[in-house]
């Protein structure tokens, strides 16, 4: 995701209080003690109610019917999960929609609502290690959630459908989920919309069928995906499909109002993916593409897995940025939101590298231009390695100073080891998760250098670092 553009997303300039010891800053939150009820959150300090404890979701089967005129959603979600402890009760994240029934392994289960939590009590306790299926039937008018920075994410209505982008909390506005990046699963989507609309989700399109005034689209993403990266964007789209020389299935869906501006940029997608594959390693998914909506009130794009969603026609740096996230953020996911620089700093630095290697200014020039900003500039307002709160995770320090940290690493270890680190990070954590601590260890192991001071300065020290 590029820095969000809405005025409500402006940063505050207060400094976060950060310990100086890097090791103390890099560990994930401690898991809740085991018991018979699943925790109502995954332990994230910025979003304490996001995610849940006591189970791991392996697969989501989402069947959605959306009427664009009434904005009503009728849906069923079937979650295949594995209990990680004995469970007499567990939570799902779901906000605002009316639940009509819940079953666990086809047996009716008791349920109640508690804010954004759907609390489920199965008829019989689930033993540790048991695989079970939860089916939730629900309906209503989905509405976006307001994030701590005042912006909206989730199911955002548009004049012809919906712009669906869930970072960091919005998945729960349209399906019940274990809504934290620590829990990744495969997905099947069956989405029925009025004839003339197109529903675009993640992965590969399995088929579509039109009958009785509606069209049903079936999508499948087999690679592990965090809930916030799921989409079901709906609109009147012009569709383009092709397969790249590397066998990647590309599906572009573009609002006609954005088509002219988007076309020259989207034509460069295959070459951008090929360039990124050369730097970062093989593309991690079977499918790629773009969803270019006309959603002027949204103010951002998002790296929804396999197929980023844009609120308007993207420029080339944004295309590079969102597709770099397919490696850094989507395939290799966060374990806690304070580590978001691992997503945004990396994708921003990919922009710098692309410009450098395609006849533009060098990454060093990009670094120098930023470093020239005075100490009072918002760039230095808080450290990117721990922004301090959920209201700051999309601020300039996370993106730009995060990229500056990577450039300082590159200068310290040299190009050969730097690009070895990037490729090893993407391959070693492919389909899984990573932490800043793991990245630091990888960089030190690869280069043979002690780098704790560098990362302490550029990721965790408040204020503008001394001259590099």
């Amino acid at each position: 995701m590029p820095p969000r553009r809405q005025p409500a997303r402006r940063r505050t300039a207060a400094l976060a209080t950060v310990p100086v010891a890097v090791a103390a800053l890099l560990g994930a939150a401690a898991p809740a003690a085991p018991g018979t009820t699943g925790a109502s959150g995954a332990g994230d300090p910025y979003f304490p109610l996001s995610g849940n404890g006591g189970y791991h979701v392996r697969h989501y089967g989402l069947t959605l019917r959306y009427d664009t005129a009434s904005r009503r959603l009728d849906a069923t979600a079937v979650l295949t999960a594995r209990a990680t402890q004995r469970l007499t009760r567990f939570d799902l994240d779901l906000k605002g929609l009316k639940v009509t029934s819940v079953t666990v392994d086809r047996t009716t289960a008791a349920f109640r609502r508690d804010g954004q939590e759907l609390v489920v009590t199965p008829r019989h306790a689930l033993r540790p290690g048991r695989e079970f299926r939860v089916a939730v039937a629900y309906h209503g008018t989905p509405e976006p959630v307001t994030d701590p920075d005042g912006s909206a994410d989730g199911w955002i209505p548009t004049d012809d459908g919906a712009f669906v982008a869930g970072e960091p909390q919005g998945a729960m506005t349209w399906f019940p989920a274990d809504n934290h990046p620590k829990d990744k699963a495969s997905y099947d989507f069956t989405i029925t919309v009025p004839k003339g609309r197109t529903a675009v989700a993640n992965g590969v399109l399995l088929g579509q069928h039109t009958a009785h005034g509606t069209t049903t689209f079936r999508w499948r993403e087999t690679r592990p995906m965090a809930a916030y990266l799921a989409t079901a964007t709906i609109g009147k789209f012009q569709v383009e499909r092709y397969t790249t020389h590397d066998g990647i299935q590309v599906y572009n869906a573009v609002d006609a109002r954005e088509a002219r501006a988007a076309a020259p940029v989207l034509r460069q997608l295959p070459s951008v993916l090929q360039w990124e594959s050369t730097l970062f390693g093989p593309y991690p998914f079977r499918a790629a593409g773009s969803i270019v909506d006309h959603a002027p009130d949204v103010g951002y794009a998002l790296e929804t897995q396999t197929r980023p969603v844009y609120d308007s026609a993207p420029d080339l740096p944004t295309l590079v940025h969102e597709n770099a996230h397919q490696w850094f953020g989507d395939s290799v996911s966060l374990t806690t939101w304070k580590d978001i620089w691992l997503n945004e700093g990396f994708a921003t630095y990919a922009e710098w590298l692309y410009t450098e290697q395609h006849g533009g200014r060098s990454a060093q020039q990009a670094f120098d231009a930023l470093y020239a900003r005075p100490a009072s500039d918002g760039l230095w307002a808080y450290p990117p390695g721990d922004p301090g709160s959920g209201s700051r995770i999309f601020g300039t320090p996370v993106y730009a100073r995060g990229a500056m940290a990577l450039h300082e690493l590159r200068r310290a270890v040299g190009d050969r080891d730097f690009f070895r680190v990037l490729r090893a990070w993407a391959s070693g954590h492919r389909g899984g998760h990573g932490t800043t601590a793991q990245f630091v260890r990888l960089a030190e192991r690869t280069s043979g250098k002690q780098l704790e001071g560098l990362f302490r300065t550029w990721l965790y020290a408040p204020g503008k670092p001394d001259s590099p």
Side-chain angles (χ1 to χ4, degrees):
M1 175 187 289
R4 300 188 179 186
R5 300 194 301 269
Q6 290 176 308
R9 300 168 193 255
R10 290 177 182 154
R11 303 173 307 284
T12 59
L15 294 177
T17 302
V18 240
V20 295
V22 174
L25 288 159
L26 302 183
T36 60
T37 60
S40 60
D44 194 285
Y46 291 178
F47 299 95
L49 289 179
S50 290
N52 300 287
Y55 63 92
H56 161 60
V57 182
R58 301 168 64 92
H59 181 74
Y60 290 87
L62 304 179
T63 302
L64 314 172
R65 178 180 289 268
Y66 188 65
D67 182 78
T68 54
S70 66
R71 296 184 173 177
R72 177 184 169 98
L73 176 69
D74 291 277
T76 301
V78 179
L79 287 65
T80 303
R82 180 178 58 83
T84 58
Q85 64 182 66
R86 186 172 186 270
L87 286 176
T88 58
R89 192 179 74 206
F90 60 89
D91 286 18
L92 298 168
D93 297 311
L94 183 66
K95 183 176 176 63
L97 298 165
K98 180 177 177 58
V99 175
T100 56
S101 70
V102 178
T103 62
V104 176
D105 291 334
R106 299 186 179 181
T107 300
T108 299
F111 65 91
R112 61 181 174 85
R113 307 299 294 273
D114 183 9
Q116 70 181 53
E117 303 296 315
L118 173 62
V119 183
V120 178
T121 303
R123 184 169 296 181
H124 305 290
L126 304 170
R127 66 181 184 276
R130 175 178 167 179
E131 185 169 286
F132 61 98
R133 285 163 57 96
V134 185
V136 181
Y138 59 102
H139 64 82
T141 303
E143 295 181 355
V145 64
T146 301
D147 292 327
D149 65 356
S151 60
D153 79 275
W155 191 283
I156 305 173
T158 61
D159 61 2
D160 62 356
F163 180 97
V164 183
E167 189 180 28
Q169 303 179 91
M172 65 181 175
T173 67
W174 61 284
F175 68 98
D178 189 3
N179 189 23
H180 191 277
K182 286 200 294 189
D183 199 47
K184 300 171 73 169
S186 58
Y187 283 73
D188 277 287
F189 306 83
T190 301
I191 311 170
T192 300
V193 293
K195 181 180 178 181
R197 302 300 200 276
T198 299
V200 191
N202 311 86
V204 174
L205 179 66
L206 300 181
Q208 64 185 74
H209 174 70
T210 299
H212 309 297
T214 63
T215 303
T216 299
F217 297 81
R218 294 187 300 114
W219 294 89
R220 174 171 294 165
E221 172 55 302
T222 59
R223 303 290 171 86
M225 181 168 72
Y228 83 89
L229 295 169
T231 189
T233 295
I234 297 163
K236 296 179 179 178
F237 294 127
Q238 298 175 358
V239 172
E240 175 189 34
R241 301 178 66 180
Y242 60 89
T243 302
T244 70
H245 294 303
D246 296 327
I248 301 168
Q249 298 182 43
V250 175
Y251 187 104
N252 293 326
V254 182
D255 189 294
R257 293 165 288 187
E258 304 291 340
R260 183 174 180 180
V265 177
L266 297 189
R267 277 198 295 270
Q268 299 186 65
L269 177 60
S271 65
V272 166
L273 293 178
Q274 185 177 38
W275 174 82
E276 291 178 331
S277 296
T278 301
L279 261 63
F280 310 141
Y283 181 72
F285 306 115
R286 292 177 56 200
S290 309
I291 307 169
V292 182
D293 208 343
H294 180 75
D297 295 331
V298 170
Y300 59 85
L302 179 65
E303 61 275 14
T304 45
Q305 189 159 305
T306 70
R307 193 163 294 107
V309 58
Y310 305 93
D311 65 331
S312 60
D315 58 18
L316 184 56
T318 303
L319 188 84
V320 171
H321 183 109
E322 299 308 327
N323 284 283
H325 275 309
Q326 303 305 310
W327 285 263
F328 307 116
D330 294 12
S331 177
V332 184
S333 296
L334 303 175
T335 56
T336 177
W337 283 107
K338 77 172 185 178
D339 273 346
I340 193 171
W341 85 277
L342 289 169
N343 293 9
E344 302 301 350
F346 282 51
T348 301
Y349 198 67
E351 294 182 54
W352 295 11
L353 290 171
Y354 188 89
T355 300
E356 177 179 85
Q357 296 184 19
H358 289 81
R361 71 177 182 176
S362 68
Q364 184 63 53
Q365 289 171 322
F367 179 99
D368 292 342
L370 287 168
Y371 190 78
R373 295 185 183 183
S376 59
D377 189 86
L379 172 63
W380 317 113
Y382 48 88
D386 189 358
S389 73
S391 65
R392 293 173 164 183
I393 61 175
F394 301 120
T396 298
V398 170
Y399 292 73
R401 187 169 161 182
M404 294 174 82
L406 289 173
H407 189 70
E408 282 294 280
L409 173 63
R410 181 184 176 189
R411 283 165 40 118
V413 304
D415 277 13
R416 177 177 175 273
D417 282 345
F418 177 74
F419 288 108
R420 285 177 63 199
V421 168
L422 293 188
R423 287 190 291 271
W425 182 248
S427 63
H429 297 269
R430 184 182 176 107
H433 300 83
T435 67
T436 300
Q438 291 171 326
F439 182 74
V440 172
R441 287 195 294 270
L442 173 65
E444 290 185 332
R445 186 169 63 248
T446 302
S447 67
K449 296 186 176 183
Q450 293 294 318
L451 299 167
E452 180 178 323
L454 182 154
F455 285 106
R456 182 192 305 119
T457 296
W458 284 95
L459 293 181
Y460 297 106
K464 182 176 179 178
D466 293 336
S467 180

